Amino acid sequence: MATLAASPRALGAVAGGIIAAGAAVAAYATAIEPRAFRIRSEVLRVLPAGARPITVLHLADIHLAPWQEDKLDWLESLTTLEPDLIVNTGDSLGHAAALPVLADALRVFQGVPGFFVHGSNDVYGPEFKNPLRYFAGPSTLAGESHKQRLDTAGLERAFESLGWLDLNNSARAIEVRGTTVAAFGVSDPHRHWDRLDETEAAISRMRKALGDEPRVTLGVTHAPYQRILNAFVDLGADAILAGHTHGGQVRVPGGHAIVTNCDIPRAQASGLSTWVHDGRAAPLNVSQGIGASIWAPFRLGTPPEAVVVSLRPRDIG
């Protein structure tokens, strides 16, 4: 029986096509999609009956480097959304020189109340990591003595000057459009900086001060590890907001994240879902984030996003 063999010219054409396609995907993932900023909108019916709607702007994983002018311009443009409340779930810094530039861009939100927690990149500068390591599970915790320390205290001062409240292992409450918004959070669970005992004590003090007045309660974390999400449900969160995953940063078209860099199920690594624990549940919003490490400046199937979460009364369909 005769066999058919491809000619060297045909094989070369196939190889050339594969290389060209790979180069096109790489160019798109590094030059186009990381700048394809989008706004995702969600509705959560979690407010007390009769309350006025509250527009929450969820910011996550800005990872700002000072030369990223397109990102800065887009951040400033978000003021046109006219949020009533801002929740920043961490990893705002992406370079040691980014703080003054970030603070200047966020000044458009001066006076808009908010909450914030930290990710590890609000404390330490980014460093190169082999992307293939993430397939083995969440990134490991390397020694910290050699890491570049960022101006975390300065970042906190910048946020607090805007009117944002620190939820790192704490709980705070503010009034927004006539409704008390109680919130609690933890510092980055990915680094095991969470101290749930401190958070629980703060919640107890907050609830004692608030008494029985109607309110909505938000749980805020950078990394959505299951132990944190379970605890937040147990602690009475009406909704949970998180970031960290970048939506996987690379996603097969039409599929879920390939990796999550934590233990959340891949199907819940971005977007709005429901977290269930011991028969109780809370809506969970995980943002794909706005940026990425300067050492891994690519996205594929996970465009950068800010999320507008419209909180509405439970008694309105």
Side-chain angles (χ1 to χ4, degrees):
M1 179 181 294
T3 58
L4 297 177
S7 68
R9 179 176 298 180
L11 291 174
V14 171
I18 292 173
I19 293 171
V25 170
Y28 172 82
T30 56
I32 298 177
E33 188 165 310
R35 295 173 175 81
F37 303 108
R38 73 174 190 177
I39 297 168
R40 174 165 58 87
S41 297
E42 305 289 356
V43 176
L44 298 180
R45 294 176 176 83
V46 295
L47 295 183
R52 300 162 67 191
I54 296 173
T55 299
V56 179
L57 175 61
H58 179 189
L59 303 177
D61 301 279
I62 299 172
H63 287 287
L64 183 69
W67 59 81
Q68 294 171 333
E69 295 183 2
D70 51 347
K71 186 186 296 183
L72 289 164
D73 291 342
W74 185 74
L75 277 173
E76 292 180 357
S77 76
L78 296 177
T79 188
T80 60
L81 300 172
E82 299 183 343
D84 303 306
L85 179 70
I86 296 173
V87 177
N88 185 325
T89 51
D91 271 7
S92 295
L93 300 178
H95 190 278
L99 177 55
V101 186
L102 176 66
D104 186 60
L106 293 178
R107 201 163 288 130
V108 295
F109 297 112
Q110 182 74 47
V112 179
F115 301 107
F116 69 91
V117 293
H118 290 322
S120 62
N121 285 132
D122 297 319
V123 179
Y124 297 114
E127 57 184 9
F128 175 77
K129 297 177 183 178
N130 182 349
L132 296 179
R133 290 171 55 189
Y134 290 99
F135 287 97
S139 57
T140 55
L141 308 181
E144 298 177 351
S145 60
H146 70 286
K147 292 180 178 292
Q148 180 185 42
R149 285 300 300 257
L150 301 179
D151 186 2
T152 308
L155 180 67
E156 292 171 352
R157 288 192 297 270
F159 287 166
E160 289 167 351
S161 73
L162 298 173
W164 300 0
L165 303 180
D166 187 342
L167 292 183
N168 287 289
N169 301 320
S170 188
R172 309 288 291 275
I174 52 178
E175 183 177 306
V176 181
R177 303 199 76 198
T179 294
T180 297
V181 179
F184 59 82
V186 291
S187 191
D188 191 1
H190 187 62
R191 289 285 178 179
H192 299 288
W193 294 340
D194 53 292
R195 299 291 181 268
L196 281 167
D197 57 334
E198 296 179 13
T199 300
E200 289 180 32
I203 291 171
S204 180
R205 293 191 297 270
M206 177 179 67
R207 287 176 176 166
K208 184 176 181 180
L210 293 175
D212 296 328
E213 65 181 83
R215 56 181 174 266
V216 63
T217 302
L218 305 178
V220 182
T221 181
H222 174 63
Y225 277 85
Q226 293 189 36
R227 71 178 191 277
I228 300 299
L229 303 180
N230 291 342
F232 279 12
V233 170
D234 289 342
L235 290 168
D238 294 310
I240 303 171
L241 284 78
H244 175 69
T245 66
H246 301 184
Q249 200 159 327
V250 173
R251 177 176 299 198
V252 177
H256 300 309
I258 299 175
V259 297
T260 67
N261 201 22
C262 62
D263 65 355
I264 192 172
R266 291 184 300 118
Q268 293 179 274
S270 67
L272 181 65
S273 64
T274 300
W275 189 258
V276 180
H277 176 61
D278 281 350
R280 286 177 282 187
L284 167 65
N285 184 67
V286 180
S287 173
Q288 293 183 173
I290 295 170
S293 169
I294 58 175
W295 295 106
F298 55 82
R299 282 178 175 267
L300 185 62
T302 57
E305 68 178 13
V307 188
V308 174
V309 182
S310 180
L311 306 183
R312 296 181 184 176
R314 299 184 181 94
D315 60 340
I316 296 178

